[in-house]
Amino acid sequence: EIQTYFTDNYANVVTGAFLVFISTPFWFIFNGVLFAAIRAKEEGAGRLGVTLAAAGSAAAAITVAGQGIGAMGAIRAHEGTLTSTLAPIYFDVFTGMVYTCTAVVAAAFLFALASASLRYGAVLPRPLGGVALVLAAAFLIPIPAVSWAVVSIGVLIVLYASVALYR
């Protein structure tokens, strides 16, 4: 069943990995801009900015690694070299890293962003900082339907923050 998943979804898995790979450098730039914006408001210790930068970097690293593993499973399936023994390993590591592990560090990232926005008005307006705080907690709920909703709302917050910082 998992071999079939990788075979049938080869193009989707490889394309998804490719998009993550090419967008990651821009995520690091965005992460750095957020760090600088928060750091400027913190005046001193910089704990929230450093937490955000570390969590954002960890999220990127985990996601890239997980996507690479998923892409390798799909490539092996496409080439006909994915065995029934290896397929669940590729799949479990891929989904575990991309969804579960990324969610944990994304929660830390959003918590730092929300805290800085609520405390200093940095990056997001305070009401959106409150939404980000709720999202940070929701990222830790291990229910797929909740995860998809949280990711969707999180993407909107990132888009908002991007436009706000650009302005």
Side-chain angles (χ1 to χ4, degrees), residues 14-162:
V14 171
T15 300
F18 176 73
L19 291 173
V20 166
F21 297 161
I22 62 171
S23 66
T24 298
F26 299 102
W27 171 258
F28 280 113
I29 293 167
F30 176 68
N31 202 25
V33 170
L34 289 177
F35 168 75
I38 292 170
R39 184 72 181 205
K41 297 279 187 172
E42 282 187 298
E43 298 177 2
R47 289 179 191 95
L48 293 174
V50 170
T51 301
L52 177 130
S57 297
I62 292 167
T63 301
V64 166
Q67 288 288 346
I69 290 165
M72 198 64 235
I75 290 167
R76 288 192 63 158
H78 185 70
E79 293 173 347
T81 60
L82 185 64
T83 66
S84 60
T85 304
L86 288 176
I89 295 169
Y90 277 106
F91 184 80
D92 289 348
V93 174
F94 165 53
T95 58
M97 288 180 79
V98 171
Y99 297 104
T100 306
C101 297
T102 299
V104 172
V105 292
F109 173 86
L110 280 171
F111 180 77
L113 177 63
S115 297
S117 296
L118 290 169
R119 185 170 184 181
Y120 306 114
V123 185
L124 299 174
R126 285 183 172 88
L128 272 181
V131 172
L133 188 60
V134 170
L135 287 177
F139 258 116
L140 300 174
I141 299 171
I143 300 170
V146 173
S147 298
W148 282 108
V150 170
V151 167
S152 300
I153 296 167
V155 166
L156 294 176
I157 286 179
V158 167
L159 288 173
Y160 178 87
S162 298

